[in-house]
Amino acid sequence: DGGITQSPKYLFRKEGQNVTLSCEQNLNHDAMYWYRQDPGQGLRLIYYSQIVNDFQKGDIAEGYSVSREKKESFPLTVTSAQKNPTAFYLCASSNGQGATLNQPQHFGDGTRLSIL
Amino acid sequence: QQPVQSPQAVILREGEDAVINCSSSKALYSVHWYRQKHGEAPVFLMILLKGGEQKGHEKISASFNEKKQQSSLYLTASQLSYSGTYFCGTLGGTGAGSYQLTFGKGTKLSVIP
């Protein structure tokens, strides 16, 4: 079955440490997204990519970095510059490039990141 | 800007109806609706495009009034499985952010026997 796989499910970060969250999709989707979810805040966009080797900042990109070297992979690095990284992180993908007017986003099961 | 959802939370008995609203301060091209159960991934329900088309998914339907920049989600004869948090995501505006979905804070729906 096609889908989006996020790993690990739970992740702990020490102070001053960078950590990388994995996101892989086999849906052959062009666009991929990273969201951060905090209680009562909804989903906020961190980064998105509409095509390989290209990505754009979302609303809360500070302290995060991404890469898109392969169509199926869009890893997110939470750097030490992100002072409040504890949250639920969701990766999503959608079909087609450009505007996502009529393309639903498909989500992975998420990674829950906590500070040690 | 983040769309505003109302109510923030609602409790229903099985078989009752509910309406969830989503309002934006900017012109919209489309509205997406998702449902998320606790600790799980959001699941796509439907997309509404400009034109006021009403769509349905099982006993869940929605409308989109682009003039008022509002969308409403209608849940009829609610079932226990409808429990979860409902998010609207809006697409619109101008500039670099036009192709990003902006999600509301969610409406928590609890259906009890």
Side-chain angles (χ1 to χ4, degrees):
Chain A
D1 286 336
I4 298 178
T5 302
Q6 288 189 242
S7 62
K9 193 172 178 71
Y10 300 95
L11 187 59
F12 299 91
R13 195 193 88 171
K14 294 180 181 179
E15 294 286 346
Q17 188 182 43
N18 293 354
V19 292
T20 297
L21 284 60
S22 170
C23 178
E24 303 276 332
Q25 55 100 356
N26 59 4
L27 299 166
N28 200 33
H29 285 170
D30 290 304
M32 297 187 74
Y33 314 83
W34 274 106
Y35 293 93
R36 171 179 170 141
Q37 188 173 30
D38 296 281
Q41 293 300 315
L43 285 75
R44 291 183 291 169
L45 184 65
I46 305 173
Y47 269 98
Y48 66 104
S49 167
Q50 295 181 335
I51 195 169
V52 174
N53 292 323
D54 188 44
F55 48 83
Q56 286 79 40
K57 292 181 179 180
D59 298 320
I60 55 167
E62 186 174 348
Y64 301 97
S65 66
V66 293
S67 63
R68 186 87 187 275
E69 296 177 2
K70 298 186 296 182
K71 186 175 184 178
E72 58 270 20
S73 179
F74 191 41
L76 173 75
T77 296
V78 183
T79 74
S80 56
Q82 173 48 246
K83 298 307 178 187
N84 184 22
T86 298
F88 189 48
Y89 290 87
L90 286 161
C91 178
S93 70
S94 66
N95 205 5
Q97 299 177 28
T100 55
L101 288 176
N102 59 354
Q103 301 298 324
Q105 294 191 9
H106 300 260
F107 287 84
D109 287 335
T111 292
R112 195 166 296 278
L113 176 63
S114 302
I115 288 279
L116 279 180
Chain B
Q1 278 175 311
Q2 196 171 28
V4 177
Q5 288 186 234
S6 62
Q8 290 184 324
V10 59
I11 299 174
L12 298 175
R13 292 201 177 275
E14 268 187 294
E16 291 183 337
D17 302 339
V19 179
I20 299 172
N21 299 303
C22 175
S23 297
S24 175
S25 59
K26 61 182 183 181
L28 300 177
Y29 299 130
S30 69
V31 179
H32 298 216
W33 284 97
Y34 294 81
R35 176 173 64 207
Q36 183 181 32
K37 294 187 181 285
H38 183 69
E40 297 180 6
V43 173
F44 169 74
L45 293 176
M46 63 191 78
I47 292 175
L48 298 106
L49 304 179
K50 285 180 70 172
E53 180 184 359
Q54 190 152 346
K55 303 196 80 174
H57 173 81
E58 298 175 344
K59 291 184 180 178
I60 301 173
S61 62
S63 62
F64 177 28
N65 186 328
E66 64 263 28
K67 287 184 180 178
K68 291 186 177 180
Q69 296 156 195
Q70 292 177 347
S71 177
S72 294
L73 188 72
Y74 307 94
L75 299 98
T76 58
S78 58
Q79 306 167 14
L80 293 175
S81 61
Y82 286 3
S83 293
T85 301
Y86 290 77
F87 293 99
C88 68
T90 56
L91 190 70
T94 58
S98 295
Y99 300 144
Q100 299 176 27
L101 266 185
T102 304
F103 286 92
K105 293 185 177 182
T107 295
K108 185 174 182 180
L109 178 76
S110 301
V111 181
I112 59 176

